[in-house]
Amino acid sequence: MSNQYKLIWEYRGPDAQMIAEHYEHHLEDFIKMRDLKSNQIGVEAYSEFYVTAFMIVREDELDVVRQALRPNKIKQLEED
């Protein structure tokens, strides 16, 4: 099993939830357009004014996504 990474895009302010949900749609389109195996995307709200959109990618897809979409953060996930 290859390593997996969580790519995170951060949004702050009163419109953070709306913007993160909108970006989630762009992530879905990107996955389809690039025919990626990664398909785990979502939105996490930490507060009313801090929300993130995220995408889980395999190590072999990391560079393509990172260069194209420039996430704010990347976290390596624990292996099972």
Side-chain angles (χ1 to χ4, degrees), residues 6-13 15-17 19-21 23 27 42-46 49-55 69-75:
K6 183 176 187 177
L7 284 66
I8 301 166
W9 293 267
E10 300 175 302
Y11 301 98
R12 299 176 194 281
D15 296 329
Q17 182 76 35
I19 295 168
E21 289 172 359
Y23 197 72
L27 293 175
V43 171
E44 295 177 324
Y46 294 93
F49 298 105
Y50 178 57
V51 183
T52 64
F54 71 87
M55 177 181 193
L69 301 180
R70 300 182 182 225
N72 298 111
K73 295 180 181 178
I74 300 174
K75 293 183 179 181

Side-chain angles (χ1 to χ4, degrees), residues 2-4 27-28 30-41 55-62 64-65:
S2 67
N3 292 330
Q4 291 189 323
L27 293 175
E28 188 175 317
F30 184 82
I31 290 169
K32 290 176 186 173
M33 182 177 69
R34 297 286 178 109
D35 195 29
L36 299 177
K37 303 292 183 234
S38 303
N39 61 5
Q40 293 179 314
I41 58 174
M55 177 181 193
I56 308 293
V57 299
R58 298 180 335 187
E59 188 170 20
D60 60 326
E61 298 175 333
L62 178 62
V64 170
V65 178

